[in-house]
Amino acid sequence: MADGQWYPPEWPDRIRAHAEGTLVPVVPKRAATVLLLKDTPDGPVVHMLRRRASMAFAGGAYAYPGGGVDPRDDDHQVRWAGPTRAWWAERLGVDEAGAQAIVCAAVRETYEEAGVLLAGPAPDAVVGDTTGDDWEADRAALVARELSFAEFLDRRGLVLRSDLLGAWTRWITPEFESRRYDTWFFVAALPTGQRTRNASTEADRTVWIRPAEAAAGYDRGELLMMPPTIATLRQLVPYSTAAETLAAAPARDMTPVLARARLTDGAIVLSWPGHDEFTKYIPTDLTSGGTRP
């Protein structure tokens, strides 16, 4: 493997079926993920987790905290601070209910998987340490979907701090994938007084790492990543602080990135618009993929 790009072994067959018109695309589920940042003397670092090798999808790959939208977040008014739902709807390219659900997913999943909560008792405050037993009980209830995020905020007297998030990019899983997600990526800074921990049952390791260092590990084939992960890491490299990264977020293009597959010269060419490094050339007579030299 020339680098750490991961993609499912069944892709070649599914890509061929898609190109031949025999594959009906799965409707993607809405999801959100957060690139959590903190400053160090050597520059900002990002929080990443490694998916367990036993996971059926992207086992062993590095990713960020994130997951699917809870449908209940479309239906209930969540205690909210920061830009309005209408502002977020325009920024994310969805309706207001959908914007609330996506932002809620970003905040909730960060709390569920990293123990970091972007919420506070007032619009200008953030909670401190969230590692006590009572916090853990609520976190577990959120993970089990026994408690909705709106109920959690109400119980705690908290407001979601949407102003602590910056919408960064949007990727949609290719049409030929069996599991598809329409994922909004956000950036956020680690709140003062909080600390991350591996609270995810899907991860066997977490790390704070400089984006350039993680990208170099990918380039050497040492760190497995999916295209959206390494693409966003490379986008973080130019920024010297977490605040500088967040300040750049409003100008980011949120046009969805969706892989394309076409038949050319006896091979399937798989490409992501605007991201040439991920292009794959898959011979039509083989069942495993590869990258053309």
Side-chain angles (χ1 to χ4, degrees):
M1 175 166 43
D3 53 37
Q5 184 176 345
W6 181 94
Y7 70 98
E10 68 271 15
W11 266 17
D13 289 337
R14 295 187 64 84
I15 291 171
R16 279 192 287 270
H18 181 264
E20 294 166 357
T22 59
L23 180 71
V24 178
V26 175
V27 176
K29 298 179 179 179
R30 296 171 301 167
T33 191
V34 176
L35 286 65
L36 193 62
L37 304 164
K38 71 175 181 180
D39 291 322
T40 75
D42 296 323
V45 289
V46 62
H47 180 70
M48 303 189 76
L49 53 84
R50 184 176 65 188
R51 292 173 59 83
R52 293 184 183 277
S54 59
M55 298 293 293
F57 183 76
Y62 280 79
Y64 312 111
V69 164
D70 182 344
R72 292 176 294 181
D73 290 335
D74 288 270
D75 303 328
H76 299 83
Q77 284 290 306
V78 172
R79 295 166 64 97
W80 191 274
T84 65
R85 293 168 178 79
W87 184 93
W88 278 108
E90 182 176 357
R91 181 74 181 114
L92 301 180
V94 296
D95 59 22
E96 291 189 30
Q100 173 181 281
I102 293 162
V103 172
C104 281
V107 176
R108 174 178 47 75
E109 289 287 340
T110 303
Y111 180 51
E112 289 181 8
E113 298 197 338
V116 171
L117 182 58
L118 303 176
D124 59 351
V126 186
V127 297
D129 187 9
T130 61
T131 58
D133 291 343
D134 58 335
W135 284 103
E136 177 57 24
D138 279 351
R139 193 196 66 80
L142 285 169
V143 172
R145 298 298 182 261
E146 298 168 355
L147 183 68
S148 75
F149 196 62
E151 293 168 339
F152 166 72
L153 294 176
D154 286 342
R155 174 186 296 183
R156 291 278 178 177
L158 300 174
V159 294
L160 181 155
R161 290 286 306 275
S162 75
D163 56 312
L164 298 181
L165 289 168
W168 192 256
T169 190
R170 179 182 178 185
W171 287 63
I172 301 177
T173 309
E175 292 182 332
F176 42 81
E177 248 289 18
S178 56
R179 298 180 183 181
R180 300 191 65 211
Y181 296 94
D182 186 349
T183 305
W184 284 261
F185 288 71
F186 297 85
V187 291
L190 179 69
T192 301
Q194 294 193 41
R195 59 184 186 270
T196 57
R197 60 194 177 91
N198 184 6
S200 173
T201 59
E202 297 181 355
D204 61 9
R205 183 188 184 217
T206 61
V207 63
W208 284 100
I209 189 170
R210 291 187 303 112
E213 182 183 348
Y218 167 89
D219 290 337
R220 292 191 299 267
E222 297 171 0
L223 301 182
L224 291 176
M225 298 179 201
M226 299 185 71
T229 308
I230 180 57
T232 49
L233 278 173
R234 296 200 197 285
Q235 292 160 0
L236 294 177
V237 171
Y239 302 101
S240 58
T241 65
E244 186 180 318
T245 309
L246 282 161
R252 295 278 308 169
D253 182 7
M254 295 300 290
T255 302
V257 179
L258 176 64
R260 297 173 180 169
R262 67 183 188 278
L263 290 170
T264 304
D265 298 330
I268 297 168
V269 182
L270 176 59
S271 61
W272 281 259
H275 300 273
D276 292 343
E277 72 166 299
F278 306 130
T279 300
K280 290 286 183 182
Y281 297 84
I282 304 171
T284 55
D285 59 346
L286 298 178
T287 58
S288 61
T291 304
R292 178 178 293 177

